[in-house]
Amino acid sequence: MDPLEEPLVAAYLTDCKIRGMSPRSFPGYHAALRSYIRYLNENGVSLLDVGQDNLIDFIRYLRLERRVAQRTIELTFSVISSLYEYLIFAGHLEVNPVLPVRKRYLKRYKNNGDPHERQLISIEDMARLITSTMNIRDRAIITMLAKTGMRRNELISLDVADVDLIENSIKLKPTAKRTNRTLFMDDECSFILRRWLKIRAGENRKGSTALFLNHEGDRLQRRGVSDVVYKAAERVGLHKPESKRMEEHFSPHCTRHWFTTHLRRAGMRREFIQELRGDSRREAIDIYDHIDLKELKEAYLACIPQLGI
């Protein structure tokens, strides 16, 4: 019998379809589950009776006997963990046996089980990242990305006129991805931005309206922002360009991940974070949930991490 026809596995795959999983994901899920269920069958272990020892043996089997690549092992265990989460939901189990095994033996493990998780750094590491560069423009770029959660394209499209240093607010250009266009800065971000604007005035030889300029005096582009972040992160040991592991890279988008996570940890309401990120409203009722900008700003200032920069 095809391992995918095992009743609990088949029920799980049906559940994945009901939840709207992309069809492109199914071939990888099928391969992982076939490998896992065949291994259990060959060793006489029931899916519901699997323990940590069985899972550790499966890692050993994949890594040492079959010489499976690390990334494939990580993806396989992500699928297996998802299977057991379904079995808990369906009432077949009470505990997911995969979680502690992934945490100990698979470095890519993250609490949410996402095998493509970006690196999340601490507040202290973000402070080190920013202060590692003496270039005021570069320091302002990283600070704005971290303190506002804006995307790289949103940052490079900013003009000086889009920044209000009296209200400490930013008006983003309209884009297809962005809903809310108003963002806020705290005093740390405002201070470093004011310093950059003073320097910029002497470097703006071409009369550009862009907030951030490259060394030729033109608007900074995507590659320029990436280089700023990569070099600073590599300097403090947070970015390893030669590594194939996503969690050993620190990109501009990691600052958005940092922004979101630390606001949540500080207790900010989910809908406020959603508004600051500019995410689309997913539920029909959401369009009636008006968020007052004054209340949003107060919540932002109360929750945004202070870096001491």
Side-chain angles (χ1 to χ4, degrees), residues 110-168:
K110 300 291 181 180
N111 287 336
N112 64 359
D114 184 354
H116 304 292
E117 183 68 49
R118 298 180 184 276
Q119 183 179 176
L120 172 65
I121 65 175
S122 67
I123 295 173
E124 293 75 19
D125 279 341
M126 181 59 77
R128 287 198 305 120
L129 178 66
I130 293 172
T131 57
S132 70
T133 176
M134 295 296 101
N135 185 292
I136 300 302
R137 185 207 65 172
D138 294 356
R139 189 177 289 194
I141 287 171
I142 302 173
T143 302
M144 283 197 69
L145 288 171
K147 291 279 191 171
T148 67
M150 69 174 66
R151 300 176 176 90
R152 178 175 48 177
N153 282 345
E154 293 170 340
L155 180 130
I156 64 176
S157 69
L158 285 175
D159 293 322
V160 173
D162 296 325
V163 179
D164 185 339
L165 290 173
I166 297 176
E167 295 295 330
N168 275 359

Side-chain angles (χ1 to χ4, degrees), residues 8-130:
L8 294 178
V9 175
Y12 164 67
L13 291 173
T14 298
D15 180 71
C16 289
K17 293 178 181 178
I18 294 172
R19 289 186 293 127
M21 179 184 289
S22 169
R24 292 177 295 179
S25 300
F26 275 96
Y29 272 58
H30 288 173
L33 291 171
R34 281 196 178 98
S35 174
Y36 180 57
I37 299 302
R38 282 174 180 163
Y39 176 82
L40 293 184
N41 290 341
E42 290 171 359
N43 288 273
V45 180
S46 166
L47 181 62
L48 297 179
D49 293 330
V50 167
Q52 292 184 11
D53 289 344
N54 303 121
L55 294 168
I56 294 169
D57 284 343
F58 185 51
I59 293 176
R60 179 197 54 77
Y61 165 74
L62 293 176
R63 181 173 286 150
L64 302 181
E65 295 188 26
R66 293 190 54 194
R67 304 291 181 182
V68 174
Q70 176 71 12
R71 176 170 173 77
T72 302
I73 297 175
E74 293 163 352
L75 292 173
T76 297
F77 269 75
S78 175
V79 175
I80 296 171
S81 181
S82 177
L83 167 63
Y84 281 107
E85 288 299 325
Y86 165 74
L87 294 177
I88 292 172
F89 172 79
H92 298 290
L93 290 173
E94 294 184 358
V95 177
N96 184 341
V98 179
L99 299 181
V101 174
R102 291 178 73 195
K103 185 174 183 178
R104 183 169 182 84
Y105 292 96
L106 301 177
K107 293 182 179 180
R108 190 179 290 271
Y109 170 83
K110 300 291 181 180
N111 287 336
N112 64 359
D114 184 354
H116 304 292
E117 183 68 49
R118 298 180 184 276
Q119 183 179 176
L120 172 65
I121 65 175
S122 67
I123 295 173
E124 293 75 19
D125 279 341
M126 181 59 77
R128 287 198 305 120
L129 178 66
I130 293 172

Side-chain angles (χ1 to χ4, degrees), residues 248-303:
E248 292 184 341
H249 290 254
F250 193 89
S251 67
H253 196 77
C254 290
T255 59
R256 185 167 164 86
H257 180 44
W258 181 90
F259 172 83
T260 303
T261 303
H262 287 289
L263 285 182
R264 289 188 65 182
R265 290 181 178 179
M268 178 176 277
R269 288 163 50 184
R270 185 184 186 90
E271 61 268 30
F272 280 6
I273 298 176
Q274 184 182 27
E275 187 77 1
L276 290 172
R277 283 173 51 88
D279 295 335
S280 61
R281 303 295 184 93
R282 297 182 178 181
E283 303 293 339
I285 192 65
D286 285 344
I287 65 174
Y288 300 101
D289 184 18
H290 176 71
I291 295 178
D292 180 75
L293 286 181
K294 181 179 178 181
E295 185 180 6
L296 181 62
K297 182 177 182 179
E298 291 175 351
Y300 165 83
L301 293 175
C303 295

